[in-house]
Amino acid sequence: MATGETQLYAKVSSKHKGRSSTPSLLDPLLAMGFPVHTVLKALAATGRKTTEEAAQWLRGHRSDPSLDDPIPQEYALFLCPTGSLLEKLQEFWRESRRQCARNRAHEVFPHVTLCDFFTCEDEKVEGLYEALRRAGDRVLGSFPTAVPLELHASISYLGFFINDSPADVIREFAMTFATDASILADCTVKPNTKQLHLTLAHKFYPHHQRTLEQLARAIQPDHTCRWTAALYSRDMRFVHYQTLKVLFQYKPQNADELMLCPGDYIFVDPTQQEEASEGWAIGTSQRTGCRGFLPENYTERASEADTWVRHRLQSSSLAKSSGTKEGGLLHEPETWDSTMNKKSSSNQAATICRRGVLVVRHGEGVDWVFGKSWLQRCSTADGKYYRPDLNFPRSLPTRSNGIKDFENDPPLSSCGAFQSRLAGEALLESGVRISAVFASPALRCVQTAKHILEELKLERKLKIKVEPGIFEWTKWEASKSTPTFMTLEELKEANFNVDPDYRPAFPRCSLMPGESYNQYTERCAVSMGQILGACPHDVGVTLIVSHGSALDSCTRPLLGLRPRDCADFAQLVRKIPSLGMCFCEENREEGKWELVNPPVKTLTHGANSAFNWRNWISGN
């Protein structure tokens, strides 16, 4: 061991022995041959719990290029609920995520922030533990017997506020810790002197506010809840990164790829993915510290706090924990269930359940861009397809009667496919939970549904249920006969994941050409009853991909409204663009459906006319 490291070890070791009755964790690790600065880093990164955990961290990070860098951890002090209140909050976290999609609050467990994140050098972390113990001895003995929680809500925030004398005692504890930490650990700690709050939801969609408030009112907090002050740390380098959790084992095929083990966490910077191919990402492994490429479909989105390390806990005098008490610090009490799979006796989910129906118009079709004679532009004399313009699809699926069946059942254009994927990407980012998918049998609708599901990463999990009952008003079809749609077998051969077991409300053969407006609206109303009946207990969003007319004819039956006047209907439908959306949400408490804002923004773009460079040259 170098002279400088020997002196550092002696200084740290003497401090450690003077402040703790536990045997030093340094000695066994140094005996294994690890340098003192990396041992201190490993202890800080694992919460200074056991020699085994620190040794495992060191072995995992032996190829970490940043192992010798003097990068400290970031620490924060939280006040965390336990007992029945924690269970109620766990249930709220689950239900709010299931019914209203993910919001910023889901990134962290339920807590009241006592001190903002601050840095502390690895060799001085023991000073933080001592500061926490002293603050607990001085203040938590007078911790209030009741902490009233008042629910506050706004358009982007929902949470419990702590006021009056309980808040003053909690602030005093935070200030005492901050003062002692600045002396004992030589770091700058900023205590929370503002409004104390426990966030329930943050930065959510406005149309979810009502549901979130109803879920929050069902919590009914127990004022005599036991509270625990917890010291956490995180890797300061990845604060603004996205966190992924590995689902499957992956062995690198190339030198620049990461080894993945189930349960690993990967930090990914969304702004630095230019080098990665589609379906791949560049990330840094928390387990090894190495950076490389990884397949995205081997991972799932994780919460920010899943990678945080819990160091020490200090319980209020109200807590009668069976945990082992060492130097005033309690270890392993009741904690947050990060997987949110813990069952609760609360009947909250049964009393407040919301369903949604998202009706989407298909993407741009080739006939809309190139007119009714589009098929003549892209077919040869012997009936083969070729691509005369980049906005034509690369290829067409195989049909039993050949290319002629596409004339009245056109596919999406290249831009239409892009529009569909863009909408699916936005739905994924919104966190909306799609639980079932129905599509008109028109090819452009089935293609749109497929592209949306691909971006949602649900193309293999959810099967598309083809429902002819939500097809376009046949009076508007150009031909005098009903279009010949692709059969389920043809769709499956073309790699569409359609549901062969779904029994539609209207078989394809029942669609009559030139039907009346009343026949059309009745068909849509009956089909909507069939669609809702097919998934009556799903708490999620049913996606319906159909035609522009469906945004009116498929939502009015849900809202309990009579069909619109035929002339008004025709004028309205003409204004609906590609990927136009209408979103209905069920309010079971009042026994009705409501029209609310869609979970994603609108899609607007301009036209791009054909360009012939020869004509352009000769014209100039």
Side-chain angles (χ1 to χ4, degrees), residues 84-101:
S84 62
L85 177 57
L86 178 61
E87 292 181 1
K88 294 174 182 176
L89 291 169
Q90 287 177 323
E91 185 67 24
F92 174 86
W93 247 252
R94 283 192 294 270
E95 286 303 306
S96 63
R97 184 170 179 176
R98 185 168 67 160
Q99 297 188 35
C100 302

Side-chain angles (χ1 to χ4, degrees), residues 565-586:
D565 178 80
C566 183
D568 293 340
F569 171 79
Q571 291 295 326
L572 178 71
V573 170
R574 288 195 183 100
K575 301 176 183 178
I576 298 174
S578 300
L579 273 300
M581 299 182 185
C582 274
F583 187 42
C584 293
E585 190 174 61
E586 184 185 31

Side-chain angles (χ1 to χ4, degrees), residues 425-474:
E425 178 185 338
L427 287 170
L428 178 66
E429 292 177 354
S430 76
V432 66
R433 175 178 174 262
I434 302 297
S435 56
V437 185
F438 294 80
S440 160
L443 176 58
R444 55 196 182 276
C445 296
V446 181
Q447 287 179 316
T448 300
K450 173 183 170 65
H451 291 311
I452 290 176
L453 288 176
E454 286 174 342
E455 294 303 315
L456 286 168
K457 305 186 188 306
L458 295 174
E459 69 274 15
R460 295 302 174 195
K461 296 181 181 179
L462 293 182
K463 293 184 177 181
I464 301 172
K465 296 176 173 60
V466 178
E467 176 52 74
I470 58 175
F471 178 64
E472 183 67 274
W473 184 11
T474 59

